């Protein structure tokens, strides 16, 4: 039975709500015994992957596929943020973090049988750099990449034109995952569809049917997994079948009826249905920049810092989580999420304080108008926020924030756009507030977004104090040196309200009684090497 036909046969009202006590995140409520090989994990995702090539992909739907196909030079411990061996056994970094030398483990091969050697790594990184903006995430990680040198067959050196402490973490991501040299005989568009997508990962590409499903198969003979994984050798699963199911209710109903093993993107309203009765949930907050109202400080009323600070004080972040989201989500306590290395707790600066908001606006000369919205010199206290529905609850969150801000006399206008339209408006600087989040398990994501030498979404002038802190953290490998700069950068963003943090995005995956050990890597994307399924 197709999942779409199931949506007609299983209306939500007919699906029993499970009220048993919640089991712990990531654990099944039944004792399934030791892991066993074999079987297929049937996993629903909420959107059609934009591109299967992890070097080009940017959406979770794509990266959750791509992570299984490629290995990376290193891996990152989700608990500590430490960088650990994977394809590289050891590495050295020069004093100014402009040169990284990796010593590759022997024996790793791509699925076409060719070796994962220094020449292949050079070809792969040169290929990512050549993608330019098509490498949605990797282009930022490799912005200062000068090239690679083959030191010997198992040793490769990657060189950068400026200090790039962030690169060691970037080397653990699937966006810099290594592809076989033969992959670059295909065009980027062909690789997006899976054609020539040859990696050294624990699974291999089998098929991609647009708006239907993506199928991966076990890589036979795989024996060079990350040092962080729970077992070595081949993956347990014979196959992973990613079903593309945009409708949240259909994903929920299909998992409850046993047509799915698991589903991503569980909506807050549906979470309780998977907290018992043999079902379970695996959750992890996304590291990186939280969902926020990012101000263009050159536009309209947002040129006034007091207005931006008042907007921040007028948002009740806990109410947003309690009303629209669920206990699996956290109110923002910094511009970075709590799972980001070198995160700094700024919860006192982000406390709900409508009295302070009122005082700031009064002092700035904004007085209540006849409809409750403040005015000054004939101008209404109003700004638009542009957003796309990449997260199902975005509009509901913004509508609640709109209501909260009306209480202090601020009119937040909500403008829905497609993802492509939002990207175009953002790149052109044609916005007042921009609503988004960005996932990365490294504080350097702040430099990518805020630096006047990079994204500069706040449209700040060059040479501002934030630039200096962003550059300082980018140049320091030692956390003891890097942390003060990262902390000060977070403080400057929050205190000047260049961006107004609201909540941390959380990945919520629900699974049925036969699915076990569904895991997340450090960027909160799925890691399915240790996942297994039990018989019915």
């Amino acid at each position: 039975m197709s999942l779409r036909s199931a949506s007609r046969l299983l209306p939500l009202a007919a699906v029993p709500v499970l009220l048993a006590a919640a089991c712990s995140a990531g654990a099944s409520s039944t004792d399934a015994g030791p892991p066993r090989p074999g079987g297929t994990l049937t996993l629903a995702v909420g959107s059609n992957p934009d591109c299967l090539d992890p070097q080009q992909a940017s959406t979770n739907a794509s990266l959750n596929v791509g992570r299984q196909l490629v290995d990376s030079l290193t891996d990152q411990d989700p608990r500590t943020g430490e960088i650990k061996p994977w394809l590289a056994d050891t590495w050295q970094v020069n004093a100014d973090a402009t040169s990284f030398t990796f010593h590759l483990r022997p024996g790793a091969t791509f699925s076409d049988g060719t070796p994962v050697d220094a020449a292949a790594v050079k070809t792969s990184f040169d290929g990512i750099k050549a993608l330019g903006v098509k490498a949605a995430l990797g282009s930022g990680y490799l912005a200062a990449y000068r090239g690679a040198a083959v030191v010997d067959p198992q040793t490769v050196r990657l060189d950068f034109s400026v200090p790039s402490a962030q690169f060691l973490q970037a080397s653990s991501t699937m966006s810099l995952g290594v592809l076989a040299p033969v992959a670059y005989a295909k065009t980027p568009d062909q690789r997006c569809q899976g054609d020539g997508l040859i990696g050294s990962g624990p699974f291999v590409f089998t098929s991609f049917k647009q708006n239907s499903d993506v199928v991966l198969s076990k890589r036979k003979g795989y024996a060079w997994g990350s040092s962080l994984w729970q077992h070595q050798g081949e993956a347990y699963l014979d196959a992973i079948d990613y079903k593309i199911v945009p409708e949240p209710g259909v994903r929920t109903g299909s998992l409850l009826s046993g047509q799915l093993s698991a589903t991503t993107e569980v909506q807050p309203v549906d979470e309780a249905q998977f907290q018992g009765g043999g079902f379970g949930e695996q959750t992890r907050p996304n590291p990186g920049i939280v969902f926020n109202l990012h101000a263009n400080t050159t536009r309209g009323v947002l040129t006034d810092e007091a207005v931006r600070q008042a907007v921040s004080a007028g948002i009740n972040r806990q109410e947003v989580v309690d009303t629209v989201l669920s206990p699996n989500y956290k109110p923002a306590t910094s511009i970075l999420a709590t799972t980001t290395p070198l995160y700094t707790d700024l919860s006192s600066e982000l406390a709900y304080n409508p009295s302070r908001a009122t005082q700031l606006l009064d002092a700035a000369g904004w007085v209540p108008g006849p409809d409750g919205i403040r005015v000054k010199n004939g101008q209404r206290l109003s700004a638009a926020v542009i957003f796309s529905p990449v997260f199902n609850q975005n509009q509901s969150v913004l509508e609640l924030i709109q209501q909260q801000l009306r209480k202090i006399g601020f009119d937040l206008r909500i403008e829905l756009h497609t993802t492509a339209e939002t990207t175009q408006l953002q790149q052109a600087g044609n916005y007042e507030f921009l609503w988004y989040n960005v996932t990365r398990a490294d504080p350097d994501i702040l430099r990518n977004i805020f630096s006047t030498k990079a994204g500069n979404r706040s449209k700040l002038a060059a040479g501002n104090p934030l630039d200096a802190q962003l550059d300082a953290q980018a140049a320091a490998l030692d956390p003891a040196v890097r942390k003060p700069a990262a902390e000060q950068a977070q403080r400057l963003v929050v205190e000047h309200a260049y961006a107004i943090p609201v909540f941390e995005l959380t990945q919520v995956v629900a699974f049925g009684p036969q699915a076990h050990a569904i895991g997340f890597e450090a960027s909160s994307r799925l890691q399915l090497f240790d996942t297994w399924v039990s018989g019915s």
Side-chain angles (χ1 to χ4, degrees):
M1 181 184 298
S2 73
L3 292 174
R4 292 190 180 277
S5 64
S7 67
R8 293 191 293 272
L9 297 175
L10 282 172
L12 281 185
V15 175
V17 178
L18 305 175
L19 299 177
C23 56
S24 61
S28 174
S29 58
T30 59
D31 181 8
R36 66 192 73 170
T40 297
L41 181 78
T42 305
L43 173 73
V45 297
S47 60
N48 194 61
D50 60 345
C51 177
L52 296 184
D53 179 3
Q55 295 181 352
Q56 301 181 64
S58 61
T59 65
N60 277 342
S62 299
L63 293 169
N64 281 335
V65 176
R67 175 71 286 177
Q68 323 312 321
L69 296 171
V70 296
D71 296 324
S72 299
L73 290 173
T74 64
D75 203 357
Q76 185 176 19
D77 191 324
R79 299 165 298 172
T80 67
E82 289 183 87
I83 305 302
K84 299 289 189 178
W86 194 347
L87 285 176
D89 280 330
T90 59
W91 52 85
Q92 293 86 40
V93 184
N94 69 351
D96 64 356
T98 58
S99 184
F100 299 75
T101 301
F102 294 92
H103 303 277
L104 304 176
R105 64 191 295 175
T109 61
F110 297 104
S111 58
D112 66 349
T114 57
V116 181
D117 57 14
V121 172
K122 172 179 168 53
T123 299
S124 193
F125 276 82
D126 289 350
I128 299 170
K129 182 68 174 179
L131 285 169
V133 295
K134 284 182 178 289
L137 301 175
S139 59
Y141 305 160
L142 297 182
Y145 175 73
R146 288 172 47 198
V150 176
V151 178
D152 62 46
Q154 293 302 116
T155 307
V156 62
R157 189 185 72 244
L158 306 175
D159 297 319
F160 293 77
S161 58
V162 299
S164 300
Q166 58 84 26
F167 174 69
L168 196 56
Q169 185 277 333
S171 73
S172 73
T173 67
M174 71 286 294
S175 300
L176 300 186
V178 182
L179 290 177
V182 71
Y184 299 97
K186 301 292 184 179
T187 67
D189 288 344
Q190 287 174 320
R191 294 203 303 274
C192 275
Q193 302 307 310
D195 187 9
L197 192 56
I198 298 172
S200 64
F203 292 90
V204 296
F205 172 75
T206 300
S207 66
F208 179 20
K209 298 176 184 176
Q210 289 285 342
N211 299 303
S212 178
D213 71 348
V214 182
V215 178
L216 309 182
S217 302
K218 178 192 295 191
R219 168 76 189 278
K220 299 294 186 182
Y222 184 85
W224 43 88
S226 162
S227 58
L228 290 171
W229 293 351
Q230 296 173 23
H231 80 281
Q232 291 298 305
E234 297 179 356
Y236 291 127
L237 296 169
D238 286 339
I240 308 169
D241 187 354
Y242 296 85
K243 298 293 187 183
I244 300 164
V245 188
E247 303 88 349
V250 177
R251 295 197 299 271
T252 296
S254 297
L255 177 54
L256 289 170
S257 68
Q259 296 176 77
L260 293 172
S261 308
T263 180
T264 62
E265 302 172 69
V266 177
Q267 299 304 301
V269 69
D270 293 328
E271 288 177 15
Q273 300 187 68
F274 302 115
Q275 295 172 350
F279 292 87
E281 292 176 351
Q282 178 73 293
T283 66
R284 189 174 192 270
N286 284 45
I289 293 177
V290 301
F291 265 111
N292 71 95
L293 292 167
H294 197 129
N296 181 340
T297 63
T298 67
R299 296 289 293 269
V301 302
L302 302 183
T303 59
D304 187 344
E305 183 172 313
V307 168
R308 301 195 305 269
Q309 292 170 333
V311 169
S312 183
I315 294 175
N316 187 336
R317 295 163 178 82
Q318 189 64 55
E319 183 182 42
V320 169
V321 168
D322 292 344
T323 304
V324 181
L325 302 172
S326 79
N328 280 325
Y329 296 77
K330 296 180 180 179
T333 51
S334 176
I335 186 62
L336 294 179
T338 53
T339 48
T340 314
L342 306 186
Y343 149 87
T344 296
D345 185 353
L346 301 175
S347 51
S348 59
E349 288 85 345
L350 293 173
Y352 178 48
N353 193 340
S355 296
R356 179 173 184 266
T358 297
Q359 292 167 1
L360 285 165
L361 295 175
D362 287 344
W366 294 94
V367 298
D371 63 351
I373 300 302
R374 291 174 180 259
V375 294
K376 179 181 178 181
N377 299 327
Q379 182 182 21
R380 282 170 60 84
L381 187 59
S382 178
V385 54
I386 64 171
F387 80 103
S388 59
V390 292
F391 174 58
N392 191 262
Q393 303 301 118
N394 271 347
Q395 181 150 348
S396 297
V397 167
L398 289 172
E399 288 172 350
L400 178 55
I401 293 172
Q402 181 184 57
Q403 295 171 22
Q404 292 175 347
L405 293 179
R406 286 193 68 87
K407 295 176 182 177
I408 65 168
F410 188 97
D411 175 31
L412 181 68
R413 308 189 313 276
I414 301 172
E415 296 183 0
L416 172 64
H417 295 273
T418 66
T419 300
E421 291 169 346
T422 300
T423 300
Q424 290 172 353
L425 291 167
Q426 177 258 308
Q427 291 174 344
N430 190 18
Y431 57 89
E432 293 171 303
F433 275 130
L434 183 65
W435 176 257
Y436 71 97
N437 82 304
V438 182
T439 297
R440 189 181 179 190
D442 190 274
D444 194 64
I445 190 62
L446 294 173
R447 184 181 58 84
N448 294 133
I449 300 298
F450 289 92
S451 172
T452 61
K453 306 166 191 174
N456 195 16
R457 293 187 181 184
S458 300
K459 306 305 174 187
L460 303 176
N464 66 82
L466 180 57
D467 267 353
Q469 299 300 328
L470 295 173
D471 288 347
Q473 66 81 34
L477 280 169
D478 185 350
V481 178
R482 198 178 185 209
K483 181 175 176 61
E487 176 178 343
Q488 187 60 18
Q490 293 169 71
R491 287 190 180 279
L492 288 170
V493 169
V494 169
E495 290 174 358
H496 293 284
Y498 296 140
I500 299 166
V502 178
F503 75 92
E504 297 187 17
L505 179 65
T506 294
Q507 297 302 312
V508 182
V509 176
F511 54 87
Q514 276 73 51
H516 311 277
I518 293 174
F520 292 112
E521 45 82 84
S523 296
S524 296
R525 273 84 188 221
L526 292 178
Q527 179 53 270
L528 302 176
F529 176 79
D530 291 306
T531 303
W532 59 284
V533 293
S534 53
S536 56

